[in-house]
Amino acid sequence: MMGLLKQLRDSISRAADKLFSGSKPKRIGIYGPPNVGKTTLANRIARDWTGDIIGTESKIPHETRRARRKENIEIERNGKIVTIDIVDTPGVTTKIDYHDFLDFGMSKKDAIRRSREATEGVAEAMHWLREDIDGVIYVLDSTQDPFTQVNIMLIGIIESRKLPVLIFANKIDLKKSNPTLIKQSFPQHKIVPLSALGGENMDEVYDSIADYFG
Amino acid sequence: MQKLKQKTGIKIDLISSQKMAELTTMEKIRMILDSVRSDKIVILETGLSPDEESKLIEVTMSEIYPDEFTGIEIETHLPSTPSGSAFINKLMGRRTPSKLTVIGPANRIETLHKDEKLITTFISQK
């Protein structure tokens, strides 16, 4: 009974805080190249704090072809609540060839449709970045070379817009993972190693999110 | 001109910083994409601003068409600066140093190696 009362009191206090704080939750965009685990991370965050998921995960590139927003995710760190909206965005690239999807057993018709939707998704992601994002979680696959033109350009675009950015070195559960290379490539930013799939180092992930975007 | 057309090879447009300075963002993007779509390699002396790069990605995406145009490959080379000078430049309000930029059709240009000091690119003939 006492526990129930405490829960009720906490929930009223949280609602009051939100009502009178006068500030909207910050919209945090999850950006990065295709297939680095952006949706897996978005789902991990949403599942941990709301019980829901945001999108479908897949090994085929460009599974996320529309930006998806999950509102009012309340992350609790050290007795404080940080409320953010998470925007899971399509992977950014400068080229899309439908032939690449044929290798995954897709029909030509489906591959062409997927590539058309993927081009629209990339354009949409860029538009969100210019207009509607307050902070960025930039996800990289720590088994891959991070020093690519897309990464350099996107991080440059984010810096030029003076948006706070955290770089997440994902897939540390894999043997080839090398988060140190990411640290060396982008020494000006905070790098957090993690496995969104296995849930490794999520405490540091949430501490950093609260610290940067709270 | 007729002789040039008959030759096989790779056409390269070298664009000066002066030429770029005369153009608006959309004019720059149009010029780059028109050249790349005509199978040329474009080399920009000073490159694009981050905002222009963002719009270039967006417009490129809208022009991708199956079996015709698969997008662009782009590489930029930032001149190395002594440590700390980038921060001092920002503090003093100086412009970001110019960055040599190479842009080409995605199906013809491939980066073989890239680090802070060297970019090695392979350009295939049609």
Side-chain angles (χ1 to χ4, degrees):
Chain A
M1 187 65 181
M2 286 298 283
L4 199 66
L5 274 173
K6 189 181 176 308
Q7 267 183 13
L8 187 67
R9 199 173 52 226
D10 286 351
S11 136
I12 292 169
S13 149
R14 227 177 288 163
D17 281 353
K18 213 189 292 175
L19 195 65
F20 297 114
S21 65
S23 61
K24 279 198 216 163
K26 285 185 180 145
R27 277 192 291 259
I28 309 304
I30 301 183
Y31 278 84
N35 256 22
V36 293
K38 294 181 294 299
T39 303
T40 307
L41 173 70
N43 284 343
R44 164 74 59 183
I45 296 172
R47 202 183 297 121
D48 281 354
W49 300 100
T50 71
D52 293 336
I53 60 160
I54 294 183
T56 317
E57 298 159 26
S58 168
K59 285 199 163 109
I60 308 173
H62 298 289
E63 180 66 20
T64 305
R65 301 185 292 281
R66 288 280 176 271
R68 292 195 196 95
R69 175 153 58 125
K70 178 82 182 162
E71 291 176 281
N72 295 317
I73 296 179
E74 296 182 334
I75 296 173
E76 192 176 345
R77 299 320 276 171
N78 305 318
K80 271 185 72 179
I81 305 270
V82 174
T83 308
I84 55 170
D85 291 356
I86 288 283
V87 185
D88 181 28
T89 68
V92 174
T93 179
T94 58
K95 56 190 173 190
I96 294 171
D97 187 347
Y98 79 87
H99 289 97
D100 295 340
F101 302 129
L102 298 176
D103 299 340
F104 292 92
M106 253 180 225
S107 69
K108 186 178 174 185
K109 193 178 158 196
D110 286 347
I112 289 175
R113 186 174 58 226
R114 192 181 183 92
S115 74
R116 196 192 61 240
E117 289 172 1
T119 60
E120 291 165 4
V122 175
E124 196 179 307
M126 298 313 294
H127 191 82
W128 270 86
L129 187 58
R130 282 205 308 274
E131 307 288 335
D132 297 309
I133 291 293
D134 303 309
V136 174
I137 291 171
Y138 197 82
V139 184
L140 288 169
D141 178 343
S142 63
T143 68
Q144 306 284 321
D145 177 10
F147 201 66
T148 66
Q149 188 58 33
V150 165
N151 292 334
I152 293 164
M153 266 194 321
L154 267 179
I155 289 172
I157 292 165
I158 293 160
E159 286 171 350
S160 75
R161 308 203 72 78
K162 298 188 169 53
L163 294 171
V165 57
L166 273 172
I167 298 181
F168 285 180
N170 194 23
K171 305 194 185 183
I172 58 166
D173 53 311
L174 299 180
K175 252 188 185 172
K176 277 172 65 189
S177 165
N178 185 5
T180 310
L181 192 58
I182 296 178
K183 286 181 188 173
Q184 286 164 354
S185 300
F186 302 103
Q188 71 276 36
H189 294 294
K190 182 176 169 69
I191 314 289
V192 183
L194 78 147
S195 165
L197 189 66
E200 285 170 55
N201 205 30
M202 291 309 289
D203 273 336
E204 192 185 348
V205 164
Y206 294 131
D207 284 343
S208 310
I209 290 175
D211 191 27
Y212 269 61
F213 309 124
Chain B
M1 197 63 188
Q2 193 58 38
K3 268 188 178 175
L4 190 67
K5 272 186 186 169
Q6 286 165 358
K7 284 180 183 173
T8 55
I10 295 153
K11 286 184 190 168
I12 297 175
D13 282 348
L14 283 158
I15 301 168
S16 70
S17 54
Q18 197 185 350
K19 171 76 181 165
M20 290 297 274
E22 292 166 2
L23 303 174
T24 65
T25 297
M26 274 319 291
E27 284 170 335
K28 287 179 199 173
I29 289 168
R30 198 62 274 153
M31 180 184 68
I32 292 165
L33 285 178
D34 285 348
S35 293
V36 169
R37 295 194 64 173
S38 325
D39 265 326
K40 288 183 191 168
I41 306 297
V42 179
I43 300 177
L44 308 174
E45 188 187 0
T46 45
L48 299 168
S49 71
D51 219 42
E52 288 166 344
E53 286 177 342
S54 156
K55 290 206 176 83
L56 176 65
I57 295 173
E58 209 175 318
V59 179
T60 299
M61 287 297 122
S62 71
E63 300 202 359
I64 287 177
Y65 197 79
D67 296 321
E68 275 185 25
F69 180 58
T70 56
I72 58 169
E73 190 71 64
I74 175 167
E75 286 298 345
T76 57
H77 190 268
L78 276 164
S80 50
T81 47
S83 105
S85 65
F87 175 74
I88 293 165
N89 281 344
K90 256 185 198 172
L91 205 67
M92 302 295 286
R94 289 179 198 142
R95 275 191 79 237
T96 321
S98 60
K99 46 187 185 185
L100 186 72
T101 301
V102 182
I103 306 167
N107 57 354
R108 294 193 60 197
I109 186 166
E110 188 187 346
T111 304
L112 301 177
H113 172 86
K114 182 180 169 93
D115 64 33
E116 293 93 337
K117 291 172 188 161
L118 175 74
I119 297 170
T120 309
T121 297
F122 177 78
I123 302 168
S124 60
Q125 280 193 344
K126 209 176 181 185

